Amino acid sequence: MNKNDIHKKIILIEKELDRYCLDSKHLSLFSGISGLPVFYLMLFQLTKKKVYLKKIDRVIIRIFDILNNGNYGVSYCNGLAGVAHMLNFLLEHKVIEDSMRSNLNFFDNILADIALKNTQSIDDADFLHGASGVAYYLNNRLKDNPKIKSKTCQLFEKLIEIVANYVKESEKVCNLTEYAPGTHRTNLGLAHGLVSYIIIFSKFLENFPQEEYALFTLKKCIECLLRFESKDKSKLSLFPGIAINQKIAEYNIPLGWCYGDQTISFGLYKASKVLKDESLREKAFRLAYRNLSRDSIEKIFPTPICDAGFCHGLSSIAYVHKKWYYISGEKKFYDLYSKFISEILDFGKRNVGIAGYQKYVSNNQYEDSIGFLDGAIGVGIVLADYLLEDNSTINWDQFFLLD
């Protein structure tokens, strides 16, 4: 694999994103323009060209224009929480003025008040679209804005109670073999389910280790997750995506960020560190090592139709292998990481989309996407991260709960 080819592809992605993004009114962190400053920061570190810092300023001006004149929500994926996290990230990396702190302090209170008001059930708790994404952001802000501590803890108390009840409902159906359309189903994924709660509660406990109910609920989430592990090791995956119980679950689940055994292994590892649980750590390692056997597109996906994006495509799969390489020191993880980077580059050889990249939608249909989560921004960041190797000081993976 020629690194010069990767560099050329990254530059092409940036040029084509310019064409797509100049007039965008979509401020979303994950599917709009708010992921661009992270990409530009990576490009600045890669090339040392200050033009990319100027482009960060241009995007921020555009974002505040949208904030001042448009309608938007508060969610992490599409609303104010994601935008605020990105601005806080830039502040931590010292590429925007300290005056941004006053804006963030203002946003913090808005986000906390709305999330506290609107969080009533598990339907409101989603990481990408609900309160746990807001709570994750606020928890990160505590070191810079300690005044938000009380509201942050209140929000976590609500979330913890809601998730504890969600786990209890899962326990009630763990032995069913017959079910109705309304039977309780448990979401195990990172985008919307148990793995996100496990990681976010673990991060909360790093700040508040004395919170016993948070600790109790974290352990119950892990117990709930592990009840779904298949005893049949011949299955494509050991964990389902969304299921009623182990007996009737579907285990034909691809790897990816949003669902799958890869991010489950990472979530269990993160929790094992907070809990100081060696047996949980060993289980996380065993699952991660098992994923090494899924070393081709045919073994990763139930069907060969996929994309290069981060959400459910090759970019996250490659990157999580890199994470496990640094956790374990096992070179096989890095070898697969490199292999999948090469295949991501091959995806971009098509004469369609943004620099050759499109998001898979369904029914063999693809569409253009600029997004950090499922489009060209995410692909560009993962490729830039590969070229930077150990020289990167940009912890961009925090946006995906992977830091």
Side-chain angles (χ1 to χ4, degrees):
M1 178 171 48
N2 189 325
K3 289 188 177 182
N4 189 50
D5 289 340
I6 297 177
H7 191 277
K8 288 179 180 177
K9 178 59 68 175
I10 294 166
I11 300 304
L12 180 59
I13 289 172
E14 193 278 321
K15 287 181 178 178
E16 295 203 10
L17 283 171
D18 247 6
R19 176 168 57 87
Y20 273 78
C21 297
L22 281 174
D23 299 319
S24 175
K25 297 180 180 179
H26 197 4
L27 57 70
S28 164
L29 170 65
F30 275 166
S31 57
I33 63 172
S34 290
L36 270 175
V38 184
F39 184 34
Y40 290 142
L41 185 57
M42 297 289 286
L43 280 167
F44 170 69
Q45 191 170 63
L46 186 65
T47 67
K48 307 305 179 188
K49 293 181 178 179
K50 291 185 178 180
V51 64
Y52 295 118
L53 298 181
K54 293 179 181 178
K55 289 192 174 190
I56 289 175
D57 291 338
R58 185 187 66 179
V59 175
I60 291 173
I61 290 169
R62 179 65 184 140
I63 286 170
F64 272 88
D65 182 56
I66 296 170
L67 288 173
N68 290 328
N69 296 288
N71 295 316
Y72 51 88
V74 300
S75 75
Y76 186 80
C77 180
N78 293 318
L80 185 59
V83 175
H85 190 170
M86 180 272 296
L87 293 172
N88 187 58
F89 170 84
L90 295 180
L91 198 60
E92 290 177 340
H93 286 279
K94 303 183 188 312
V95 293
I96 56 175
E97 297 293 330
D98 271 2
S99 58
M100 186 61 71
R101 295 184 194 280
S102 61
N103 289 313
L104 287 172
N105 291 343
F106 177 67
F107 293 159
D108 293 348
N109 280 292
I110 290 174
L111 288 164
D113 289 343
I114 292 175
L116 281 167
K117 179 182 177 181
N118 293 343
T119 305
Q120 305 298 328
S121 71
I122 197 67
D123 294 332
D124 308 317
D126 192 277
F127 170 54
L128 288 187
H129 305 298
S132 62
V134 176
Y136 169 61
Y137 161 72
L138 293 173
N139 191 56
N140 283 340
R141 284 282 297 151
L142 288 174
K143 60 189 175 186
D144 197 57
N145 184 12
K147 291 181 180 179
I148 206 71
K149 176 181 174 181
S150 177
K151 289 180 180 179
T152 301
C153 289
Q154 289 176 48
L155 181 56
F156 268 96
E157 286 170 7
K158 268 197 165 189
L159 277 170
I160 288 163
E161 183 66 31
I162 287 168
V163 173
N165 289 330
Y166 182 66
V167 168
K168 288 177 184 176
E169 291 301 310
S170 182
E171 291 171 353
K172 292 177 183 177
V173 299
C174 65
N175 293 312
L176 290 184
T177 54
E178 297 181 0
Y179 56 93
T183 301
H184 176 84
R185 286 164 170 78
T186 302
N187 189 315
L188 278 68
L190 181 52
H192 311 289
L194 279 178
V195 180
S196 66
Y197 304 135
I198 287 169
I199 294 175
I200 291 168
F201 292 168
S202 294
K203 289 179 175 291
F204 177 68
L205 283 162
E206 288 174 349
N207 282 340
F208 300 96
Q210 75 282 2
E211 291 291 337
E212 293 186 4
Y213 195 43
L215 183 64
F216 171 80
T217 304
L218 172 61
K219 291 177 179 178
K220 296 300 287 186
C221 285
I222 293 166
E223 289 174 12
C224 181
L225 178 73
L226 294 179
R227 276 199 302 273
F228 286 87
E229 184 177 7
S230 176
K231 294 181 174 63
D232 183 353
K233 305 306 179 185
S234 68
K235 297 288 188 181
L236 180 66
S237 61
L238 290 187
F239 289 89
I242 303 172
I244 294 171
N245 58 42
Q246 184 197 78
K247 297 178 182 179
I248 47 181
E250 171 60 60
Y251 289 90
N252 201 33
I253 307 299
L255 297 180
W257 175 80
C258 49
Y259 291 98
D261 286 359
Q262 254 192 325
T263 44
I264 288 176
S265 69
F266 185 79
L268 293 176
Y269 169 72
K270 294 295 286 186
S272 75
K273 293 180 68 178
V274 171
L275 298 173
K276 297 180 175 58
D277 186 331
E278 185 61 29
S279 65
L280 187 62
R281 182 180 185 275
E282 290 174 1
K283 182 173 283 291
F285 267 69
R286 285 197 299 273
L287 183 57
Y289 273 86
R290 182 182 189 271
N291 293 329
L292 288 173
S293 65
R294 299 176 69 174
D295 56 2
S296 66
I297 287 177
E298 292 74 22
K299 293 176 182 178
I300 290 170
F301 302 102
T303 66
I305 301 172
C306 61
D307 62 37
F310 203 88
C311 184
H312 47 257
L314 279 178
S315 287
S316 64
I317 295 163
Y319 187 73
V320 177
H321 277 310
K322 178 186 179 182
K323 295 294 293 189
W324 270 107
Y325 167 68
Y326 284 112
I327 292 168
S328 69
E330 173 56 64
K331 186 175 179 294
K332 290 180 181 178
F333 286 110
Y334 195 87
D335 291 342
L336 267 189
Y337 166 55
S338 297
K339 175 184 177 182
F340 292 140
I341 290 291
S342 179
E343 293 189 4
I344 290 166
L345 195 62
D346 287 342
F347 262 91
K349 293 178 179 177
R350 300 180 303 161
N351 191 29
V352 293
I354 301 171
Y357 296 105
Q358 289 186 304
K359 174 178 75 172
Y360 177 67
V361 185
S362 63
N363 299 321
N364 208 23
Q365 298 295 310
Y366 292 80
E367 66 182 25
D368 293 356
S369 172
I370 67 172
F372 195 177
L373 179 63
D374 56 13
I377 293 172
V379 174
I381 286 173
V382 169
L383 292 177
D385 184 270
Y386 179 80
L387 291 186
L388 285 166
E389 296 179 324
D390 294 338
N391 297 314
S392 178
T393 58
I394 302 172
N395 55 336
W396 61 269
D397 55 5
Q398 64 179 270
F399 292 103
F400 296 96
L401 302 179
L402 295 175
D403 59 323

